[in-house]
């Protein structure tokens, strides 16, 4: 007697349930296939990964009955490597860190945060940028202005005013008042109370805009006339190249 097609999905569900009782677990993580043990996945009981495989099945299965996790499969091998041997990854640190956060594997998170790449980003660069008022909002404003100016153009530019101190902020405002341009299109960064320089902030701006997929460069912006201060003390032109 043949089994009707309507019974097939039930068979897959039963297979998935049986896998939770088996010490061997097959996984499909974002299209990458892995085989490991239940004890490896549950090595850190407080983690989200362990919770996925504790109690009744919480994950869907693919067409072959493997448990499916909708995350980048490329980096899951580093997660497994850590769970199996406590070996902290030395490659793709930033990406593995994101996955460790998702799976909430606290020991791995702490060890990755001690690595130079994550330490430098979290403790040094991000702490600096947190002291620059409206930094993230200004990055988004730059992108909106650049996109608005990109119609039928290969490139578009955004003028940025960078001031490190309150005194420079006042001088910058005087300079803005003498500029023959739309002041609303000038994006102002600063002032801030931290060691990094204007050059450091400019590098951060370029880094974070490029991280969003844009191709940009910058140079000092020199006003043509009617300017009472050296414009390159404050103003920079960021050039977005679209094609």
């Amino acid at each position: 007697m043949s089994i009707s097609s309507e019974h097939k999905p039930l068979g897959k569900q039963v297979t998935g349930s049986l896998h939770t009782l088996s010490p061997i677990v097959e996984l499909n993580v974002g299209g990458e296939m892995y085989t490991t043990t239940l004890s490896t996945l549950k090595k850190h009981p407080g983690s989200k990964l362990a919770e996925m495989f504790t109690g009744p099945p919480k994950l869907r299965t693919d067409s072959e009955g493997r448990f499916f996790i909708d995350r980048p499969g490329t980096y899951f091998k580093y997660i497994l490597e850590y769970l199996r041997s406590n070996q902290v990854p030395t490659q793709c640190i930033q990406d593995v860190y994101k996955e460790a956060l998702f799976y909430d594997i606290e020991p791995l998170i702490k060890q990755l945060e001690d690595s130079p790449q994550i330490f430098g980003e979290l403790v040094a660069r991000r702490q600096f940028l947190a002291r620059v008022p409206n930094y993230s909002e200004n990055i988004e404003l730059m992108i909106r202005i650049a996109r608005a100016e990109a119609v039928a153009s290969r490139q578009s530019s955004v003028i940025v005013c960078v001031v490190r101190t309150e005194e420079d902020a006042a001088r910058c405002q005087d300079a803005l008042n003498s500029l023959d341009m739309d002041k609303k299109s000038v994006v102002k960064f600063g002032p801030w109370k931290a060691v990094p320089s204007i050059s450091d902030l400019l590098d951060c701006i370029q880094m974070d805009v490029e991280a969003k997929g844009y191709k940009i460069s910058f140079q000092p912006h020199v006003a043509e006339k009617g300017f009472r201060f050296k414009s390159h003390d404050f103003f920079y032109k960021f050039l977005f190249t679209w094609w």
Side-chain angles (χ1 to χ4, degrees), residues 43 66 101 123 150 165 168 177 179 183 203 212 222 226 231 236:
K43 184 173 182 179
R66 295 173 290 230
L101 288 173
V123 177
T165 67
D168 284 346
N177 291 335
L179 270 177
K183 299 176 182 59
D203 287 341
K212 295 178 180 293
V222 180
S231 58
Y236 298 83

Side-chain angles (χ1 to χ4, degrees), residues 4 15 22 36 48 59 85 109 116 134 139 144 149-150 154 170 179 186 188 198 212 219-220 229-230 242:
S4 63
T15 301
S22 170
T36 186
K48 182 177 179 179
L59 297 172
S85 61
I109 291 171
N134 303 314
I139 292 292
R144 288 200 300 271
E149 299 293 330
R154 182 173 186 179
L179 270 177
V186 178
K188 178 186 172 187
I198 287 177
K212 295 178 180 293
Q219 62 187 28
F229 303 99
K230 291 186 296 182
W242 301 102

Side-chain angles (χ1 to χ4, degrees), residues 44 74-101 103 105-119:
H44 297 284
T74 303
Y75 310 114
F76 190 73
K77 64 181 179 181
Y78 299 109
I79 300 294
L80 272 185
E81 188 175 341
Y82 176 77
L83 294 175
R84 288 166 173 163
S85 61
N86 291 322
Q87 183 173 342
V88 180
T90 57
Q91 303 177 47
C92 308
I93 300 297
Q94 297 281 358
D95 294 304
V96 176
Y97 179 66
K98 292 177 184 176
E99 297 310 297
L101 288 173
Y103 294 114
I105 304 173
E106 192 64 31
L108 177 56
I109 291 171
K110 290 181 178 179
Q111 291 184 68
L112 288 173
E113 287 178 348
D114 283 337
S115 69
Q117 298 94 322
I118 304 299
F119 179 86

Side-chain angles (χ1 to χ4, degrees), residues 142 145-146 149-150 155-159 185 237-240 242:
M142 285 180 61
I145 293 173
E149 299 293 330
Q155 296 178 319
S156 56
S157 62
V158 179
I159 304 301
S185 66
K237 178 184 289 187
F238 278 79
L239 196 64
F240 287 68
W242 301 102

